[in-house]
């Protein structure tokens, strides 16, 4: 009987692999060619036309590593990711906790918080840029309307505030964290909370000492997804500040884009920067998965 089950399981696995084989071949082909293209061109001095290229070895990598703008853009990328993580772990958690109660219109509020995460980030960046505009932006108009003219600032043009103004969109991108938290909150046994109540734990203690620690795997998933998502935030910065003022809001996405668009650009530098960013992203993913495995 056991041999028969093993044979059936083996045949099912084989059929599954054969079904996925075309997709696997296409995926490996595209991914393999992408890495080949980046690695080979990162070792060459080549223009956008890809003609008359010259082998330069690791010079492109040395140029990128010595470029302070690259490191500044990398730092800003992590700042943006940190803002996404903070909003997800705080606002996302408390909203999902509130929606876990039996309240009227719960599905409506779920949709209300989730919709911004489904909208194009370019649309939200454009709306926020208009709201934060110095003269006619709604934020400064409200401040002036209530007599707080001194607080009206050039939010997107002042180096002191620009990066933080760009981060404000993060509070509207908590739909995905809410979805993760909502799914895991349903798995928490009511008997655990009842036992905490019997022991005299207040609602605040139940939230911070019982519920929040029990969702540690959800926290890790959100941190990883938001951290890596920060490397794909080009539209937000490009449409709100275009990396300015003075490069204070430049992130990896805009840095690489600007390098490809500059006069006489060396695509080898772009490929070298992309390889470095990929390595950093892989290291982050590996460390995060290792921690999840050890603590899981």
């Amino acid at each position: 009987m056991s041999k028969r089950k093993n044979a059936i399981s083996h045949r099912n696995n084989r059929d599954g692999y054969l079904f996925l084989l075309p997709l696997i071949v296409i995926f490996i082909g595209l991914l393999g060619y992408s890495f080949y293209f980046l690695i080979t061109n990162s070792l060459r001095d080549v223009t956008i036309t890809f003609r008359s290229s010259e082998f330069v070895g690791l010079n492109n990598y040395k140029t990128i590593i010595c470029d302070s703008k690259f490191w500044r853009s990398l730092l800003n990328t992590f700042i943006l990711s940190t803002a996404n993580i903070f909003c997800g772990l705080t606002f996302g958690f408390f909203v999902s906790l509130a929606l876990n109660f039996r309240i009227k219109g719960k599905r409506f509020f779920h949709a209300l918080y989730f919709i911004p995460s489904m909208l194009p980030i370019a649309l939200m960046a454009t709306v926020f840029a208009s709201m934060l505009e110095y003269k006619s932006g709604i934020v400064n108009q409200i401040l002036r309307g209530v007599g707080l003219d001194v607080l009206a600032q050039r939010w997107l043009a002042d180096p002191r505030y620009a990066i933080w103004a760009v981060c404000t969109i993060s509070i509207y991108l908590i739909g995905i964290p809410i979805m993760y938290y909502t799914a895991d909150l349903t798995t928490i046994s009511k008997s655990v909370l009842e036992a905490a109540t019997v022991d005299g734990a207040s609602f605040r203690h139940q939230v911070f000492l019982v519920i929040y620690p029990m969702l540690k795997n959800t926290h890790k998933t959100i941190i990883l997804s938001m951290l890596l998502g920060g490397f794909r935030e080009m539209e937000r910065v490009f449409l709100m500040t275009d990396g300015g003022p003075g490069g204070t809001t430049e992130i990896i996405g805009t840095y690489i884009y600007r390098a490809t668009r500059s006069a006489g650009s060396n695509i080898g530098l772009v490929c070298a920067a992309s390889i470095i960013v990929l390595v950093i992203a892989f290291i982050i993913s590996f460390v995060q998965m290792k921690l999840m495995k050890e603590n899981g």
Side-chain angles (χ1 to χ4, degrees), residues 93 97 184-185 188-217 219:
F93 171 74
L97 186 64
D184 271 15
L185 282 171
I188 297 178
S189 175
K190 292 183 179 180
S191 61
V192 176
L193 301 179
E194 291 172 355
T197 303
V198 171
D199 290 340
S202 63
F203 177 73
R204 178 171 61 87
H205 289 148
Q206 290 184 34
V207 170
F208 291 105
L209 301 180
V210 179
I211 298 176
Y212 201 78
M214 291 181 70
L215 298 175
K216 64 177 182 179
N217 287 330
H219 304 327

Side-chain angles (χ1 to χ4, degrees), residues 180-285:
Y180 288 140
Y181 280 127
T182 301
D184 271 15
L185 282 171
T186 59
T187 64
I188 297 178
S189 175
K190 292 183 179 180
S191 61
V192 176
L193 301 179
E194 291 172 355
T197 303
V198 171
D199 290 340
S202 63
F203 177 73
R204 178 171 61 87
H205 289 148
Q206 290 184 34
V207 170
F208 291 105
L209 301 180
V210 179
I211 298 176
Y212 201 78
M214 291 181 70
L215 298 175
K216 64 177 182 179
N217 287 330
T218 309
H219 304 327
K220 294 174 184 177
T221 301
I222 292 172
I223 290 173
L224 179 60
S225 61
M226 293 293 181
L227 185 59
L228 296 179
F231 289 89
R232 303 190 301 270
E233 289 274 11
M234 177 192 165
E235 301 99 318
R236 186 197 304 202
V237 173
F238 183 75
L239 293 174
M240 292 186 73
T241 62
D242 194 20
T248 54
T249 60
E250 193 90 271
I251 62 172
I252 287 296
T254 55
Y255 175 89
I256 292 177
Y257 174 78
R258 207 176 308 284
T260 62
R261 303 291 293 180
S262 60
S265 58
N266 178 7
I267 300 301
L269 291 175
V270 176
C271 293
S274 300
I275 290 292
I276 293 173
V277 172
L278 280 173
V279 170
I280 293 173
F282 281 138
I283 292 173
I284 292 172
S285 301

Side-chain angles (χ1 to χ4, degrees), residues 35-279:
F35 279 111
Y36 169 78
F37 176 87
L38 288 175
I39 293 172
T40 55
N41 284 292
S42 68
L43 303 175
R44 310 187 72 84
D45 184 349
V46 55
T47 64
I48 195 66
T49 62
F50 294 98
R51 296 176 181 175
S52 303
S53 62
E54 178 185 354
F55 182 79
V56 294
L58 298 176
N59 286 347
N60 289 329
Y61 291 94
K62 293 178 182 178
T63 302
I64 293 296
I65 291 174
C66 295
D67 187 1
S68 60
K69 292 181 179 179
F70 172 79
W71 296 108
R72 179 61 183 267
S73 66
L74 188 63
L75 174 62
N76 288 337
T77 301
F78 283 115
I79 290 175
L80 209 58
S81 298
T82 302
N84 293 340
I85 293 170
F86 174 78
C87 291
L89 296 182
T90 54
F91 298 112
F93 171 74
F94 288 115
V95 170
S96 60
L97 186 64
L99 294 177
N100 195 50
F101 294 106
R102 294 182 178 178
I103 59 176
K104 290 184 177 181
K106 182 163 66 173
R107 291 184 178 179
F108 167 76
F109 288 110
H110 268 294
L112 184 66
Y113 284 106
F114 189 72
I115 285 175
S117 297
M118 301 300 294
L119 293 174
I121 192 68
L123 173 62
M124 299 189 65
T126 303
V127 172
F128 266 72
S130 65
M131 291 173 59
L132 296 172
E133 205 274 332
Y134 179 67
K135 291 184 178 180
S136 57
I138 187 65
V139 174
N140 282 344
Q141 284 188 9
I142 291 175
L143 291 174
R144 295 185 185 108
V146 297
L148 297 176
D149 302 56
V150 68
L151 296 180
Q153 304 290 336
R154 299 182 183 274
W155 304 107
L156 299 176
D158 193 322
R160 296 173 299 173
Y161 307 119
I163 187 64
W164 309 114
V166 172
C167 289
T168 55
I169 296 184
S170 298
I171 198 172
Y172 285 89
L173 301 178
I174 59 175
I176 301 299
I178 289 176
M179 182 182 67
Y180 288 140
Y181 280 127
T182 301
D184 271 15
L185 282 171
T186 59
T187 64
I188 297 178
S189 175
K190 292 183 179 180
S191 61
V192 176
L193 301 179
E194 291 172 355
T197 303
V198 171
D199 290 340
S202 63
F203 177 73
R204 178 171 61 87
H205 289 148
Q206 290 184 34
V207 170
F208 291 105
L209 301 180
V210 179
I211 298 176
Y212 201 78
M214 291 181 70
L215 298 175
K216 64 177 182 179
N217 287 330
T218 309
H219 304 327
K220 294 174 184 177
T221 301
I222 292 172
I223 290 173
L224 179 60
S225 61
M226 293 293 181
L227 185 59
L228 296 179
F231 289 89
R232 303 190 301 270
E233 289 274 11
M234 177 192 165
E235 301 99 318
R236 186 197 304 202
V237 173
F238 183 75
L239 293 174
M240 292 186 73
T241 62
D242 194 20
T248 54
T249 60
E250 193 90 271
I251 62 172
I252 287 296
T254 55
Y255 175 89
I256 292 177
Y257 174 78
R258 207 176 308 284
T260 62
R261 303 291 293 180
S262 60
S265 58
N266 178 7
I267 300 301
L269 291 175
V270 176
C271 293
S274 300
I275 290 292
I276 293 173
V277 172
L278 280 173
V279 170

